[in-house]
Amino acid sequence: MYSARNPVAGGGPNTSGYGECGSATVGAWYPDASVVAKQASLGGEYAYAPGTALDAASSDVMPDTISSPINDFSTLPTDPGGYGHSGLRGSGISPLESLAVSTAFHPVARLVPSAHSDAVLQSTDGVLFYVHRVILAEASSNGFGSALLHDAAAPIAVNDDSAVLNIILHAVYDLPSAHFSPSFRTLVDAVDRMEPVYGVAPTRFILPATSSDLFAQLYSHAPHRPIDVYMLAAHHGLEDLAVLVSGHLLSFKLETLTDDMTERMGAMYLKRLVFLHLDRLKRLREILLVLPPPHEGGGCKADPQRAWALAAAELVNDAKPDLSPHLLAASMKGFAGDIPCARCMHNFQTRLAEAAELWSNVPASI
């Protein structure tokens, strides 16, 4: 939360920073500068979201709370959302009471250059999000959870907290949201709520090449929570994300999967994960079955093929799908120490290099 108090009243900026939803505590919205100055002189509390505006030169507002001052107040909506200068219509909130407003979706945010917001969503924890009906209608198959069926004259209550709603709206508007530092749980809840509740298809808005960084945020959790991200991607048919995350599951123990986990990811993605493991081990055996060439002529008694077979048998017996080419080479090389013939040793090492290269080219994702 971020607030700026009237300096005359002795207050100062709140330096606690934004929460996951990026909301700011604000007074009722007054686009008229003289009205704002009058209220500030009464000791009211105001916070101005980035990109909004009071004249930075005003003595009634702390300049460092304004990131993009707008000096021409005639360009601002005279009554954003139609709530009047006396507080939120029908809400019982007076002009001097505090409200929580999203720092991204606030009354004068220019998210759509040619249009002002014409609807206000209110999260379960009381944060207001000023949005555009045309944007939500185009993105949703059910009127954004029937929210667009309500009259625009009052805030529309939605059944999600501000952190979850913030992520969903940023995805719909194709805006980055990583700077809010949402938790993994919040990301999962947001994606899980998108389509069943708001009619917003994750496959349309969670893509690698978009301004929204929701795809990148989810993938950033893959190193530490690969199975959770994979289940989420599989459940919602996020193919690109599932493919990327599957590469982090080569060391995952498939026997630890529960019924709930397999149900969430679905039969198709479960099968693909299982066959990723099985196919890699099968390909490893095929690669190691090819022996190094014997030493022809000269009566050499060395047996590089026997050494290779022993090394391959031991390696395959303990191998896991996440075996690295480097570890493959290092494990096999230990069995070549007893080969006395230089030429046989060369044949063994040449074949080992070929095997490591072949293994490095085996697909490591579904």
Side-chain angles (χ1 to χ4, degrees), residues 26-30 35-36 39-40 42-46 83-89 91-99:
V26 301
W29 185 253
Y30 291 99
V35 177
V36 175
Q39 294 298 331
L42 297 177
E45 181 182 36
Y46 298 90
Y83 301 114
H85 288 171
S86 60
L88 289 179
R89 182 180 301 158
S91 67
I93 299 175
S94 72
L96 292 181
E97 290 189 55
S98 293
L99 298 174

XYZ file of all heavy atoms in Angstrom, residues 26-30 35-36 39-40 42-46 83-89 91-99:
224
model
N -6.604 5.632 -1.144
C -6.867 6.954 -1.698
C -8.105 7.567 -1.093
O -8.964 6.886 -0.544
C -7.070 6.882 -3.233
C -5.864 6.303 -3.912
C -8.297 6.078 -3.567
N -8.203 8.893 -1.205
C -9.439 9.562 -0.865
C -10.375 9.447 -2.042
O -10.005 8.984 -3.103
N -11.610 9.859 -1.902
C -12.540 9.841 -3.025
C -11.939 10.671 -4.151
O -11.245 11.644 -3.917
C -13.885 10.404 -2.592
N -12.202 10.289 -5.400
C -11.531 10.908 -6.536
C -12.086 12.288 -6.842
O -13.277 12.463 -7.052
C -11.665 10.018 -7.764
C -10.884 10.583 -8.896
C -11.356 11.201 -10.004
C -9.463 10.587 -9.010
N -10.321 11.594 -10.802
C -9.158 11.238 -10.221
C -8.422 10.129 -8.207
C -7.853 11.422 -10.641
C -7.130 10.304 -8.630
C -6.853 10.946 -9.837
N -11.203 13.287 -6.886
C -11.588 14.650 -7.231
C -10.716 15.133 -8.382
O -9.579 15.508 -8.183
C -11.392 15.598 -6.046
C -12.343 15.349 -4.915
C -11.928 14.613 -3.811
C -13.631 15.821 -4.948
C -12.802 14.367 -2.764
C -14.506 15.581 -3.904
C -14.094 14.854 -2.815
O -14.950 14.611 -1.789
N -10.781 21.447 -5.776
C -11.470 20.605 -4.805
C -10.463 19.786 -4.032
O -10.551 19.637 -2.821
C -12.488 19.689 -5.506
C -13.144 18.754 -4.491
C -13.556 20.518 -6.206
N -9.466 19.238 -4.728
C -8.436 18.453 -4.063
C -7.685 19.298 -3.058
O -7.435 18.880 -1.929
C -7.453 17.864 -5.094
C -6.316 17.151 -4.387
C -8.181 16.921 -6.014
N -9.775 19.820 0.036
C -9.840 18.652 0.897
C -8.501 18.428 1.598
O -8.462 18.033 2.756
C -10.240 17.420 0.077
C -11.653 17.478 -0.485
C -12.702 17.558 0.618
O -12.487 17.072 1.716
N -13.831 18.201 0.329
N -7.387 18.682 0.883
C -6.077 18.489 1.504
C -5.893 19.425 2.673
O -5.269 19.081 3.677
C -4.973 18.715 0.467
N -7.966 20.203 4.700
C -8.707 19.677 5.845
C -8.003 18.488 6.472
O -8.509 17.875 7.396
C -10.117 19.273 5.405
C -11.015 20.411 4.890
C -12.349 19.839 4.416
C -11.230 21.456 5.978
N -6.833 18.140 5.937
C -6.077 17.034 6.522
C -6.473 15.690 5.984
O -6.219 14.670 6.611
N -7.113 15.640 4.811
C -7.523 14.356 4.250
C -6.326 13.537 3.801
O -5.233 14.050 3.609
N -6.527 12.240 3.592
C -5.457 11.341 3.157
C -5.659 10.984 1.696
O -6.752 10.607 1.288
C -5.457 10.053 3.983
C -4.338 9.086 3.588
C -4.402 7.796 4.385
O -5.511 7.339 4.684
O -3.327 7.256 4.691
N -4.592 11.132 0.907
C -4.678 10.842 -0.519
C -3.466 10.035 -0.940
O -2.379 10.187 -0.394
C -4.733 12.137 -1.356
C -5.949 12.961 -1.052
C -5.922 13.919 -0.055
C -7.138 12.724 -1.732
C -7.047 14.646 0.256
C -8.268 13.451 -1.435
C -8.225 14.415 -0.435
O -9.346 15.129 -0.132
N -19.448 8.333 -10.496
C -19.723 8.147 -9.077
C -19.971 9.460 -8.334
O -20.338 9.455 -7.179
C -18.574 7.387 -8.422
C -18.378 6.058 -9.073
C -17.226 5.782 -9.784
C -19.387 5.101 -9.026
C -17.082 4.562 -10.419
C -19.246 3.887 -9.667
C -18.090 3.625 -10.360
O -17.934 2.426 -10.997
N -19.717 10.583 -8.995
C -19.982 11.854 -8.339
C -18.879 12.275 -7.405
O -18.039 11.491 -7.010
N -18.851 13.549 -7.029
C -17.816 14.081 -6.160
C -18.121 13.885 -4.690
O -17.405 14.356 -3.840
C -17.615 15.581 -6.443
C -16.943 15.822 -7.753
N -16.826 17.079 -8.298
C -16.363 14.973 -8.639
C -16.194 17.005 -9.451
N -15.911 15.740 -9.682
N -19.175 13.211 -4.398
C -19.552 13.047 -2.996
C -19.275 11.647 -2.486
O -19.876 11.200 -1.537
C -21.035 13.377 -2.827
O -21.812 12.507 -3.630
N -18.330 10.946 -3.145
C -18.020 9.579 -2.724
C -18.642 8.586 -3.683
O -19.247 8.965 -4.674
N -18.498 7.308 -3.411
C -19.068 6.282 -4.271
C -20.576 6.241 -4.089
O -21.071 6.068 -2.976
C -18.466 4.910 -3.951
C -17.024 4.735 -4.373
C -16.539 3.347 -3.968
C -16.878 4.909 -5.876
N -21.279 6.403 -5.195
C -22.737 6.468 -5.142
C -23.313 5.206 -4.519
O -23.010 4.093 -4.934
C -23.279 6.638 -6.559
C -24.790 6.764 -6.620
C -25.231 6.919 -8.063
N -24.606 8.092 -8.661
C -24.454 8.240 -9.973
N -24.835 7.275 -10.791
N -23.897 9.328 -10.459
N -22.658 3.826 -1.816
C -21.746 2.991 -1.043
C -21.687 3.388 0.420
O -21.144 2.662 1.242
C -20.333 3.084 -1.634
O -19.813 4.389 -1.451
N -22.173 4.570 0.717
C -22.085 5.044 2.096
C -20.716 5.575 2.448
O -20.436 5.861 3.603
N -19.838 5.720 1.431
C -18.477 6.218 1.688
C -18.441 7.706 1.398
O -18.779 8.143 0.296
C -17.459 5.480 0.810
C -17.488 3.990 1.138
C -16.065 6.033 0.995
C -16.589 3.160 0.238
N -18.035 8.493 2.338
C -17.976 9.938 2.163
C -16.680 10.322 1.459
O -15.751 9.533 1.397
C -18.036 10.622 3.539
O -16.806 10.419 4.223
N -16.577 11.551 0.948
C -15.377 11.971 0.245
C -14.118 11.902 1.082
O -13.028 11.783 0.543
C -15.700 13.416 -0.152
C -17.189 13.489 -0.166
C -17.638 12.560 0.925
N -14.225 11.998 2.382
C -13.031 12.032 3.218
C -12.604 10.658 3.695
O -11.584 10.525 4.333
C -13.273 12.948 4.421
C -13.406 14.430 4.089
C -13.617 15.228 5.371
C -12.179 14.938 3.345
N -13.391 9.611 3.395
C -13.004 8.272 3.799
C -12.038 7.670 2.784
O -11.987 8.070 1.631
C -14.244 7.392 3.938
C -15.119 7.765 5.130
C -16.208 6.738 5.343
O -15.885 5.544 5.483
O -17.374 7.127 5.355
N -11.253 6.710 3.236
C -10.251 6.105 2.372
C -10.814 4.931 1.582
O -11.678 4.202 2.046
C -9.071 5.605 3.214
O -8.393 6.691 3.788
N -10.303 4.780 0.346
C -10.633 3.648 -0.497
C -9.336 3.022 -0.980
O -8.304 3.682 -1.044
C -11.450 4.095 -1.722
C -12.805 4.736 -1.451
C -13.386 5.249 -2.761
C -13.741 3.726 -0.822
